[in-house]
Amino acid sequence: MKQCIFGAMISIVGFTEQRGSRFYNSAAVIHRAELLGVYSKAFSGSRYEKEAFTFGTRFPVFKARGVAFGVVICADSTPLEPSLLLAERGAKIIFAPHYNYIEMPHMNDHRLRVRNNHIARAVENDCWVVRANSVTAPLRKMGEYEGFGYGDSFILDNRGVPQAEAGLFTTGWITADAPKKELMKR
């Protein structure tokens, strides 16, 4: 594994994890070619997911480069408890990877609710929140309905203020400078 041009990047890689006969929607946390750990999604985002996966009950905090952080996958960012547990355990950044594929009539309501949930998680837990979401082709049929992935990736500071945003239907890299002193305080 090579270092990216930004230095010793931390990668969060989503995958379907099999443990025995059960499947989990999980994310591997990797730093300097070392697996720091795995987080498994705790809350279902759809009935399809509920039928296909077993859900995790652990909310691990990882540490790299002196900063403690956690991961919540998609629907895990809606309830208060996952982010609260991570913050209580010392996390200063919460990474929230998503793969939203939303029906056309519900897209804007979903986008506003999700964004407001992330702002609330940042403020109530005094954490930075980094949301990455997919962009998919509109009107592609997936399951029983047509919809699309709208993107809207962003980085919020601990006051819920956007420090970087990709925008709707936009792919690419976004970065923000978080004060290391703030991220390392207890």
Side-chain angles (χ1 to χ4, degrees):
M1 183 177 278
K2 296 181 180 180
Q3 282 189 356
C4 78
I5 59 172
F6 302 113
M9 180 181 270
I10 297 162
S11 298
I12 300 170
V13 181
F15 69 106
T16 300
E17 178 184 13
Q18 183 174 4
R19 291 185 228 149
S21 62
R22 296 179 180 210
F23 294 92
Y24 295 80
N25 182 348
S26 296
V29 179
I30 303 163
H31 181 241
R32 296 182 185 258
E34 178 184 332
L35 178 66
L36 298 182
V38 173
Y39 170 71
S40 298
K41 186 175 180 181
F43 292 89
S44 174
S46 70
R47 66 182 169 96
Y48 302 111
E49 191 174 36
K50 197 175 228 176
E51 293 169 5
F53 293 104
T54 300
F55 294 92
T57 57
R58 296 182 54 244
F59 300 92
V61 171
F62 307 98
K63 195 166 188 178
R65 302 176 73 177
V67 177
F69 62 94
V71 176
V72 293
I73 298 173
C74 201
D76 294 347
S77 64
T78 299
L80 305 170
E81 294 83 1
S83 297
L84 177 63
L85 287 169
L86 294 172
E88 285 292 318
R89 295 174 181 161
K92 289 297 179 185
I93 304 175
I94 297 173
F95 291 94
H98 289 248
Y99 182 83
N100 293 139
Y101 190 80
I102 306 300
E103 291 179 273
M104 300 288 269
H106 305 294
M107 190 284 291
N108 199 48
D109 180 62
H110 183 272
R111 180 187 65 81
L112 291 171
R113 287 177 183 276
V114 169
R115 181 172 275 258
N116 289 333
N117 283 338
H118 285 84
I119 291 169
R121 300 302 84 87
V123 172
E124 67 202 8
N125 294 302
D126 193 26
C127 289
W128 283 59
V129 173
V130 178
R131 178 181 195 252
N133 192 19
S134 63
V135 174
T136 60
L139 299 175
R140 196 174 121 216
K141 190 158 180 143
M142 189 179 270
E144 297 173 359
Y145 60 89
E146 291 179 337
F148 52 93
Y150 57 82
D152 197 28
S153 298
F154 50 76
I155 301 171
L156 304 173
D157 68 16
N158 60 339
R159 296 166 296 138
V161 176
Q163 298 300 305
E165 300 181 71
L168 295 175
F169 307 105
T170 305
T171 60
W173 287 90
I174 59 172
T175 62
D177 291 325
K180 193 163 185 176
K181 182 178 172 184
E182 182 179 306
L183 297 177
M184 296 182 77
K185 70 181 180 185
R186 295 210 177 255

